[in-house]
Amino acid sequence: MIQLMDVYAIAMPMHRVFVHATMARHESDGILVCVDVDGVTGYGEAAPRPYVTGETTGTVLKALASCALNELDALIDWRSLQAVVASLKDLALPKMLSVDGRLSPAAACALEMALLDVACRLHGRPMASALHAAGLGEDMLRPVPCAISAALVVDLSTSPEEMVAHELALANGIKHVKLKVGADGDQAVERVRRFRDLIAPSISLSVDVNAAWTLPQAIAACRQLQGLGVAWLEEPLRPRDWAGLRQLREETGIPLMLDESFVEENDLAAAIDQRACDLVNIRVSKCGGPLRAAGLADTAFHSGLGYQIGVQVGEHGPLWAAGRALATSLRHASACEVGRADEWFPHDTTIPPFQIDRKTYLAPPLSGHGHGLVPGPALWAHARHAFSHVATTPRSALVEAERRVTTWNAEARG
Ligand SMILES: [Mg+2]
């Protein structure tokens, strides 16, 4: 049974700023959840982003503080990995952890991941096994995980010329590049044109607008992008403008990927119903955890959509490891991002450290049980303990934890 849940907030300075159309990030911002079951610890992580799911560090802490371990434990059958996975699939964690009536997919992600990780460790299995136990078919899953070619993401702080001059992977077999562009459509087209001219025609290229364009801007830009070999355009309009997205697809013929517009099943159903996209970006944190993310990829694929495995900038460890389990296990992904914990942070954040061959951008599956890593000293050095729940936590202690989180957030803001 669950004995303990410890929750930490993590803010770690990054080596360099990451810039896209609506955000510049200097520091990571995440939540670490540690769950102890029968003396074994599992680790989960969330990257709350208000511009993606509406969640913040504060709302995720509040959501997790409201979680009664005894009640949660009663809903999980720990006797086998299959049984745990079935229990977790039945739990509507984003709804169970709702804050002020809003779903909490990032909070759900941290908790689902910690529970799944500890279950895999208890039963001596890698997280990839949990995907098979979750009922995904052979058409979706490789028999065993294998190394994947990771996508290169080029943010707005880097020019195409600088990237080509310094990025070895562009000459060493990389298969996909995602180029971030800004709110000015003409400048975006010029950036794409320069980059396309500099890289091999065999490299697939996508363009991420981060919801910065209006529909008329997008239509004008997409007409100019024709002939530049753009495989798909990611999130061009304000999120969930289903009619606008459909019009953009139909008028310009450019394939569209949803990111900020797509968090959960209802978004996917609406996008399919409205014929608003061709692909979706599956990111573990915004999609509510590794099991829910895998389920959404399965639904998307069997609805005729493509999908990418994406990341949030500043993932510390458990998040990129769970994403790696998905990326190395799932078939059909149009592209896989794997994160840059080795480049964002001055020290290794996990044991074992982040794994990728930066010369080829080949990313191997992690070995070991669970998602395959534990937080390292550098991560603990930037982890601020928020609260603990123990299995016998009475209701009065939950109220006290919520009070502590409220005070903690007020201090953090002040
Ligand atoms: Mg995106």
Side-chain angles (χ1 to χ4, degrees), residues 178 180 208 210 234-235 259-260 281 283:
K178 171 156 97 177
K180 296 276 190 182
D208 190 359
N210 287 104
E234 183 173 331
E235 199 70 25
D259 188 7
E260 288 88 340
N281 191 0
R283 297 196 280 177

Side-chain angles (χ1 to χ4, degrees), residues 22-44:
T22 57
M23 174 78 195
R25 176 167 295 284
H26 302 259
E27 184 178 75
S28 70
D29 180 8
I31 300 289
L32 178 69
V33 173
C34 311
V35 171
D36 285 11
V37 176
D38 297 339
V40 176
T41 305
Y43 300 92

Side-chain angles (χ1 to χ4, degrees), residues 102-147:
R102 289 190 68 153
L103 298 179
S104 301
C109 168
L111 185 56
E112 184 196 78
M113 192 188 305
L115 293 168
L116 190 61
D117 186 43
V118 74
C120 290
R121 292 175 196 262
L122 275 170
H123 294 287
R125 306 279 288 280
M127 192 166 277
S129 295
L131 303 181
H132 289 270
L136 272 72
E138 291 180 7
D139 61 336
M140 283 298 292
L141 290 173
R142 299 185 176 100
V144 292
C146 66

Side-chain angles (χ1 to χ4, degrees), residues 90-115:
D90 285 344
L91 287 177
L93 282 177
K95 187 169 184 197
M96 183 187 292
L97 298 174
S98 291
V99 172
D100 302 329
R102 289 190 68 153
L103 298 179
S104 301
C109 168
L111 185 56
E112 184 196 78
M113 192 188 305
L115 293 168

Side-chain angles (χ1 to χ4, degrees), residues 314-333:
E315 295 181 350
H316 300 98
L319 253 183
W320 70 253
R324 185 72 63 91
L326 258 63
T328 57
S329 297
L330 290 169
R331 303 181 195 269
H332 313 300

Side-chain angles (χ1 to χ4, degrees), residues 12 48 95 103 129 159 185 208 226 229 244 275 292 327 331 339-340 348 350 369 388 395:
M12 193 179 288
K95 187 169 184 197
L103 298 179
S129 295
S159 73
D208 190 359
Q226 285 167 358
R275 299 202 295 276
R292 299 186 70 81
R331 303 181 195 269
R340 292 189 186 186
D348 292 333
T350 55
H369 299 156
S388 299
R395 182 60 60 182

Side-chain angles (χ1 to χ4, degrees), residues 11-367:
M12 193 179 288
M14 291 165 58
H15 261 320
R16 73 168 176 84
V17 64
F18 180 89
V19 186
H20 65 59
T22 57
M23 174 78 195
R25 176 167 295 284
H26 302 259
E27 184 178 75
S28 70
D29 180 8
I31 300 289
L32 178 69
V33 173
C34 311
V35 171
D36 285 11
V37 176
D38 297 339
V40 176
T41 305
Y43 300 92
E45 183 185 356
R49 300 289 180 262
Y51 44 89
V52 181
T53 66
E55 295 167 275
T56 63
T57 298
T59 68
V60 169
L61 289 176
K62 187 173 179 184
L64 294 167
S66 71
C67 179
L69 283 199
N70 319 24
E71 293 167 21
L72 178 66
D73 190 64
L75 298 171
I76 299 175
D77 179 350
W78 293 100
R79 287 173 296 180
S80 68
L81 181 58
Q82 189 97 28
V84 176
V85 167
S87 303
L88 292 178
K89 282 183 71 181
D90 285 344
L91 287 177
L93 282 177
K95 187 169 184 197
M96 183 187 292
L97 298 174
S98 291
V99 172
D100 302 329
R102 289 190 68 153
L103 298 179
S104 301
C109 168
L111 185 56
E112 184 196 78
M113 192 188 305
L115 293 168
L116 190 61
D117 186 43
V118 74
C120 290
R121 292 175 196 262
L122 275 170
H123 294 287
R125 306 279 288 280
M127 192 166 277
S129 295
L131 303 181
H132 289 270
L136 272 72
E138 291 180 7
D139 61 336
M140 283 298 292
L141 290 173
R142 299 185 176 100
V144 292
C146 66
I148 42 128
S149 176
L152 172 66
V153 180
V154 183
D155 77 324
L156 282 171
S157 68
T158 311
S159 73
E161 290 75 15
E162 287 169 334
M163 181 54 62
V164 170
H166 296 114
E167 189 50 74
L168 294 172
L170 287 169
N172 285 328
I174 199 165
K175 293 192 169 84
H176 185 82
V177 177
K178 171 156 97 177
L179 191 63
K180 296 276 190 182
V181 296
D184 184 304
D186 290 335
Q187 288 181 14
V189 171
E190 182 54 26
R191 180 171 164 83
V192 174
R193 191 189 315 277
R194 281 162 48 206
F195 195 72
R196 183 80 267 183
D197 285 347
L198 290 166
I199 62 172
S202 59
I203 296 176
S204 155
L205 176 66
S206 61
V207 175
D208 190 359
V209 186
N210 287 104
W213 291 350
T214 63
L215 180 59
Q217 268 183 310
I219 290 174
C222 286
R223 290 196 169 125
Q224 295 181 72
L225 289 173
Q226 285 167 358
L228 295 182
V230 174
W232 64 82
L233 188 66
E234 183 173 331
E235 199 70 25
L237 308 178
R238 65 182 166 81
R240 299 180 181 81
D241 178 2
W242 307 124
L245 289 162
R246 177 174 175 172
Q247 185 180 342
L248 181 61
R249 281 183 75 221
E250 292 181 347
E251 283 197 23
T252 67
I254 194 161
L256 299 183
M257 173 180 282
L258 300 187
D259 188 7
E260 288 88 340
S261 289
F262 158 68
V263 170
E264 41 108 14
E265 292 85 350
N266 290 335
D267 294 325
L268 191 52
I272 292 167
D273 182 58
Q274 299 284 322
R275 299 202 295 276
C277 72
D278 304 86
L279 311 98
V280 290
N281 191 0
I282 307 275
R283 297 196 280 177
V284 175
S285 183
K286 73 167 186 175
C287 288
L291 288 177
R292 299 186 70 81
L296 288 165
D298 193 41
T299 303
F301 178 73
H302 289 104
S303 302
L305 300 181
Y307 67 90
Q308 163 181 289
I309 302 299
V311 298
Q312 307 280 169
V313 172
E315 295 181 350
H316 300 98
L319 253 183
W320 70 253
R324 185 72 63 91
L326 258 63
T328 57
S329 297
L330 290 169
R331 303 181 195 269
H332 313 300
S334 299
C336 296
E337 298 169 4
V338 301
R340 292 189 186 186
D342 56 336
E343 294 183 343
W344 293 136
F345 305 119
H347 303 287
D348 292 333
T349 53
T350 55
I351 304 167
F354 183 81
Q355 296 174 31
I356 184 174
D357 182 339
R358 285 282 174 216
K359 292 194 178 73
T360 61
Y361 263 58
L362 279 175
L366 298 188
S367 59

